[in-house]
Amino acid sequence: MIYALTSGFLLGLMGSFHCMGMCGPIALALPVHKHNTLKKVWYILMYNFGRIFTYSVLGFLFGLLGKGLFIGKYQQYFSIAIGVLMLLALVVPTLFKKADNKYIAQFSAFVRKQLSNLFKKEKSGSVYLTIGIFNGLLPCGLVYFAIASAVGMGNLENTVGFMFMFGLATIPMMFAIAFLGNFISQKFRQTIQRLIPFFIAIMAVLMVLRGLNLGIPYLSPKIEHTEHGTEQSCCHPEE
């Protein structure tokens, strides 16, 4: 469980600069600056809580899917496969660009329409929470990687925990954008964007190592299989 929480937090922390480019415009558009500091902080937090809620629900849903499809040792193979696919997406991105994105585009249009309608409503804590919920549904490559990584964590608890910590780690950057405005220069953003592939590569290597079941504490914990087909990650090597 500790491995899943730590991995999710690190991916969210490293990927928060990517969120700055993807979700930053929405955070910047939040009409919070006309309120006093207390309300401003509360509304921004509600927005971020909405995003974390969505990520956690996605973790739960895909965790159920992973629990049904990958049992026993197959979970390890899945972790390795996800890591390899992440590396391939970085090295040969054209392999994935040819995929039909018609349904993704339609879903994105639906989510953006809902967000547009929400921005027209009289603002309250619940409205900002709902904006965050829909914001978390916007198609995002980093979120896809996070979900794939989470499913490889072994069980439903780890999957939800991974996605919760992933969302939690993005709060500092997203809060700063909404609270302070466009305070980061375009040049700095471009520099960070160029570093994102390296962060994803690190996460991919960690996924492969985890699947190899090397018995290295936290990095590649030993997986034990019970008679019921479940998995238990041991943070410490067997004595």
Side-chain angles (χ1 to χ4, degrees):
M1 183 64 176
I2 295 178
Y3 176 85
L5 296 178
T6 303
S7 299
F9 187 83
L10 288 176
L11 180 61
L13 193 63
M14 292 185 295
S16 60
F17 291 99
H18 175 78
C19 296
M20 175 179 62
M22 291 295 295
C23 302
I26 295 177
L28 281 171
L30 294 176
V32 296
H33 300 287
K34 61 183 179 180
H35 300 292
N36 60 51
T37 302
L38 187 60
K39 272 194 172 182
K40 186 176 178 180
V41 169
W42 173 244
Y43 287 156
I44 294 174
L45 286 176
M46 290 298 288
Y47 159 72
N48 282 287
F49 291 158
R51 291 190 309 109
I52 294 177
F53 174 78
T54 296
Y55 296 149
S56 299
V57 170
L58 289 174
F60 177 78
L61 295 176
F62 280 90
L64 288 177
L65 178 64
K67 184 179 180 181
L69 295 180
F70 305 98
I71 302 174
K73 293 183 179 180
Y74 291 108
Q75 194 73 45
Q76 296 166 232
Y77 302 146
F78 178 73
S79 181
I80 295 173
I82 290 299
V84 171
L85 285 175
M86 290 169 71
L87 290 173
L88 282 175
L90 295 174
V91 178
V92 194
T94 54
L95 290 177
F96 300 89
K97 287 184 177 180
K98 294 181 180 180
D100 184 7
N101 60 359
K102 174 184 176 181
Y103 297 108
I104 294 178
Q106 290 178 343
F107 181 73
S108 178
F110 167 77
V111 173
R112 292 182 185 279
K113 182 178 179 180
Q114 302 309 310
L115 285 171
S116 177
N117 292 335
L118 286 167
F119 271 98
K120 296 175 183 177
K121 290 186 176 182
E122 184 177 351
K123 302 303 180 290
S124 64
S126 61
V127 170
Y128 282 100
L129 179 69
T130 310
I131 289 175
I133 290 173
F134 276 100
N135 188 171
L137 291 173
L138 283 174
C140 171
L142 181 65
V143 175
Y144 297 158
F145 281 133
I147 292 173
S149 302
V151 174
M153 288 294 115
N155 58 52
L156 189 60
E157 182 183 24
N158 286 346
T159 303
V160 175
F162 183 100
M163 292 303 295
F164 174 82
M165 294 302 291
F166 167 78
L168 188 68
T170 65
I171 285 184
M173 176 60 70
M174 297 302 295
F175 185 93
I177 292 175
F179 192 85
L180 300 176
N182 197 2
F183 66 102
I184 300 177
S185 68
Q186 185 65 30
K187 183 178 180 180
F188 181 73
R189 292 186 189 187
Q190 292 173 351
T191 300
I192 293 299
Q193 287 294 325
R194 286 194 288 267
L195 293 176
I196 294 298
F198 294 100
F199 296 150
I200 294 177
I202 292 172
M203 190 65 207
V205 171
L206 289 176
M207 290 295 296
V208 173
L209 286 175
R210 183 183 186 279
L212 291 176
N213 201 24
L214 300 176
I216 304 173
Y218 302 107
L219 183 62
S220 182
K222 191 72 175 177
I223 305 296
E224 294 182 352
H225 307 282
T226 69
E227 60 181 355
H228 301 292
T230 59
E231 299 183 0
Q232 297 177 336
S233 297
C234 301
C235 294
H236 300 284
E238 296 179 359
E239 298 180 353

